[in-house]
Amino acid sequence: MDKEGLPDLPVAQFLRLRRHIPPLYGVLAVNAAALAYTHRHVAPPYLTVAVAGLLVLACLQRIYAWTRPIDPAAITGDQARAIMRRTTVLGITMTLGFLIWALALDQYGTPAQQGHVMLFIAATLLGCIFCLTYLPTAAVAISMIAIGLFTLYCVQQGSEERLSIACSTGLITILILFVVRDCFASFVSLEESRSALIVGQRRAERLEADSARLARTDALTQLPNRRRFFEELEALLSGATTETRFSIGLLDLDGFKPVNDTHGHAQGDRLLAMIGDRLAAVCKAHEPGVSVARLGGDEFGFIIQAEIDEACDFMQGVCRVVQEPVPLDGMQIAVGASGGVAAYPLSGTDANKLFDRADFALYHAKRHQRGHCVKFSHLFEQIIRADQLVESALQTADLAQEIALVFQPIYDIQSKAAVCVEALARWTSPVAGPVPPETLVSAAEKLGILRVVTLALFDRAIAACAQLPAHLRVSFNLSAGDLANPETVDAILDAMTRSGQPGRRFIFEITETALISSFATAVREIERLRASGAKIALDDFGTGFSSFNSLQELPLDILKIDKTFTGRIEDPAGRRVIRGILSLAHSMSLKCVIEGLETEGQLEAARELGFRYGQGYCLARPAALAEIGARIA
C-alpha cells in the first residue's frame, strides 16, 4: 500500500493474475491429460503416465497455491514483486517441462497423433500469453523460449510442413505479444488514473469533512446552527450601545415527538427541513432585521432587531406559520409551536443571560400557553429569584420537619364511597414560605436531591397507609426524575417490603411528560412497580404528548383525565371529547378517573357520561390525614 492507502501497481497486477493463472493451469492440466491419453498405446508409460502425472500434479498444486484465500489489503508492493518474479521463473520452468515432454511424445504415433502434439504446443503457448497479460515479462520470456525451441526442433526434423507451422505460430505469437503490450499499457494507465482519482476524492472528502466541522450551517435545515447563532449574538452585544435595542426569540415545536414515533425519524427530519424552509422564508421577508438558526432538535432561535413587544408579535406570527399543515407522504401533518422572547438590555446584557431568560419564557409558554409566544417580564424575573430562593432554602432544609403530605380522596361517584386517597406534597419553608409541589420537585431535580425528597415523602405515604382502612389505596405521584433513576425505584420497593404493606395498597401516578426523556427506561421502571402488585395511573391525560401507540405500550391500569377537560364537560363539544377519552380508556381495559370536579353540575355531567370515579373540590378538598380519616370513616 502507498501512503494514501491505495494498492501499488504490482499489487494490482498480482490481484489480476490471481484471477487468470488458475484457469491457465487448469487448461494445461486438461490438455496434458488429453495428449497423454491419445498417446497411451504408442508412447512409453513413463511418458504417458509418470511424466504426464507429475506435470498434472504440478498444475493442480499451482492452482491450489493461487486460489488460497488472502487479505488483499495485507499484500505489499514488495511482496507482489517477489511473487511475480517467482511466477516468471516457475513459468519458464513449466514451459520447458511441458515443451520437452510434448516433443518427446512427438517421436511416437501416427501423423494425426503428431498433429495433436503440434496443436498442444501452439494452443498452450497462446493460452499462456493471454493469461499472462498482466505479467508481460513472463509472457515474452515464455514465448521466446517456446518458439525458439519449437523452431529448432522443426528445423532438426527437416520437415517443411512443421517448419511452416513453427513460423506461423511464431508470427501469431509476436502479433499477440503486441496486443498484450498494449493491453498492459492500458491497464497501467487505468490503474494510475484510478489511483489519482481516488487520491483526489479522498483529499476532497477530507477538505469537505474539515469544512463541515468548521461550518456554521445546520446540515438538515441549511439554517445557521447554534454556534453561528451565538457568534451573531455575541457580535451584536460587542457592538451594542446604550441606544441599542434588540430581542432574541426561541421557538420549540409542540407535538413533534408523536410525528417521529408514528411516522419515523426520516419523516420527522423531512418535517423539520420543511419547517426550516418556512422559517427562512419568513425571516427573508423581514431582512435584515431578523435572522433564524436551528439550535438543535426541534428548537429554533431568532435574533430580532426590535423592541420586545414587536418581537413578540413577530414570534406569534411565526407560531401561526409553523402551525399550518405540512404535506408529508400524501398526508397533512400539523404540529404546533410555542415561543419565548427576551429583550436587550431589559432582560440581560450578556448572551447567556438573554438566552436563559428567553428559554424561561418559552418554558412558561409550553406549560401554560402552548401555541403562543410569551415575553420575559419582570414577573418572570421575580419567579426566577423566587426559584433561586427555594433552591437555597432546600439546600439547608430540615426535610423531616418541613415537608408533609395532605390527602385528597378519589370517589366512586356512583356509590359516593371513597376508594383511594391521593398523597399531595406540601413544603413550608421557614425561608421561602409555602412552596408548590411542582416547584419543590423542580428545585430538588436541579440540586440533585430529588431521590431524597421523594423517599422522604413516600415514607410518610407508607405511614398514612397503615392508618387508613384496608380497602383504601394510597396514590403517590412520581416525577420524570424518579422514573429515570432505578435506585429511587429500588428504594421505594424496599420501603414497601419493610413496611409490611402489600403492593396492592398503592397506586403510582405518572404524567405524560415523565415519559418523554426516556420512554424505554420509564416503561421498565413502571413494570417493576407494577410487579409488586401496585397499580399505575397516567395523570393529567391530554396535556402531554403520548400517542395512541405509546399508550398501548405502557403497563397502565388507570387513566386520569386532566381538569382542563373537566372545565368543558357541560359544553357539547367538550363533552364529546371527554366521552371519546372515556371510550378509549374502556377499549384499553383501563379504569378512568375524571379530575377537577368543582361543581355539582360537573359531577352530575360526569355521572351521566358513565364515569365511575371522580376527584375534585366538590367531592373533597385536600386535607390532613386525621381530617380525611374522619371524613371517610
Side-chain angles (χ1 to χ4, degrees), residues 108-361:
Y108 307 95
T110 65
Q113 291 168 321
Q114 292 173 342
H116 188 185
V117 172
M118 299 296 105
L119 178 61
F120 171 83
I121 293 172
T124 300
L125 176 59
L126 298 180
C128 287
I129 295 172
F130 277 116
C131 290
L132 293 171
T133 298
Y134 298 102
L135 191 56
T137 53
V140 171
I142 289 172
S143 300
M144 294 301 99
I145 292 171
I147 290 298
L149 286 176
F150 183 51
T151 303
L152 286 175
Y153 175 78
C154 292
V155 169
Q156 190 237 351
Q157 290 293 308
S159 168
E160 294 180 353
E161 292 81 8
R162 293 196 174 196
L163 186 58
S164 176
I165 292 173
C167 291
S168 296
T169 304
L171 290 174
I172 293 172
T173 299
I174 292 170
L175 178 61
I176 293 175
L177 286 174
F178 276 111
V179 174
V180 167
R181 183 196 63 181
D182 291 342
C183 289
F184 182 74
S186 298
F187 163 74
V188 171
S189 176
L190 180 63
E191 284 296 314
E192 290 174 347
S193 299
R194 188 178 72 87
S195 296
L197 178 62
I198 293 174
V199 168
Q201 286 177 334
R202 290 185 179 176
R203 288 175 180 168
E205 288 169 358
R206 285 197 294 269
L207 289 173
E208 185 178 354
D210 291 339
S211 298
R213 284 193 297 271
L214 299 174
R216 291 159 175 80
T217 300
D218 177 62
L220 179 62
T221 63
Q222 300 305 306
L223 295 174
N225 59 15
R226 188 182 189 91
R227 179 179 177 181
R228 176 69 178 274
F229 176 82
F230 277 97
E231 284 180 350
E232 186 176 343
L233 180 56
E234 292 284 4
L236 197 57
L237 288 169
S238 65
T241 67
T242 54
E243 304 300 320
T244 300
R245 297 290 185 273
F246 69 90
S247 305
I248 68 169
L250 299 181
L251 184 84
D252 193 82
L253 301 185
D254 300 327
F256 177 70
K257 185 177 183 295
V259 175
N260 267 347
D261 291 343
T262 305
H263 302 284
H265 289 281
Q267 297 290 48
D269 287 347
R270 286 183 58 197
L271 176 63
L272 283 175
M274 296 174 76
I275 289 175
D277 291 341
R278 287 185 182 180
L279 299 181
V282 170
C283 292
K284 188 173 183 180
H286 290 78
E287 284 182 347
V290 179
S291 63
V292 61
R294 183 187 177 207
L295 303 180
D298 58 349
E299 187 177 26
F300 298 85
F302 296 79
I303 297 178
I304 308 162
Q305 304 286 343
E307 297 276 6
I308 192 166
D309 289 333
E310 185 180 344
C312 193
D313 290 341
F314 170 80
M315 290 293 294
Q316 190 62 56
V318 171
C319 289
R320 287 193 294 269
V321 168
V322 172
Q323 290 163 4
E324 295 174 5
V326 176
L328 204 64
D329 271 2
M331 297 178 292
Q332 296 292 317
I333 304 297
V335 293
S338 302
V341 177
Y344 173 90
L346 294 176
S347 303
T349 55
D350 66 78
N352 289 331
K353 190 171 182 180
L354 275 172
F355 186 87
D356 288 344
R357 272 31 183 184
D359 191 53
F360 188 90

Side-chain angles (χ1 to χ4, degrees), residues 4 14 21 29 60 62 69 86 158 183 189 216 254 297 303 328 356 391 443 450 491 553 575 588 613:
E4 291 288 342
F14 167 71
I21 288 185
L60 295 177
R62 298 313 301 157
R86 291 197 300 270
C183 289
S189 176
R216 291 159 175 80
D254 300 327
I303 297 178
L328 204 64
D356 288 344
E391 291 172 17
L450 177 62
E553 295 173 13
R575 184 185 292 259
M588 299 179 69
Y613 304 103

Side-chain angles (χ1 to χ4, degrees), residues 52 140 200 202 216 274 342 381 393 400 427 472 500 579 593 620-622:
V140 171
R202 290 185 179 176
R216 291 159 175 80
M274 296 174 76
E381 190 67 48
W427 176 37
L472 286 181
R579 183 183 289 113
V593 179
R621 290 177 174 270

Side-chain angles (χ1 to χ4, degrees), residues 7-34:
D8 292 325
L9 180 60
V11 175
Q13 285 180 257
F14 167 71
L15 295 177
R16 294 293 184 94
L17 283 171
R18 276 181 57 81
R19 300 208 306 265
H20 290 189
I21 288 185
L24 167 62
Y25 280 117
V27 170
L28 275 174
V30 171
N31 285 348

Side-chain angles (χ1 to χ4, degrees), residues 413 559-562 565-566 569 578 592-597 602 606 609 611 613-616:
I413 60 177
L559 205 62
K560 298 186 75 175
I561 300 179
D562 187 70
F565 292 96
T566 308
I569 195 171
I578 295 173
C592 196
V593 179
I594 183 165
E595 299 180 294
L597 295 170
Q602 291 175 348
L609 283 173
F611 279 95
Y613 304 103
Q615 182 180 15

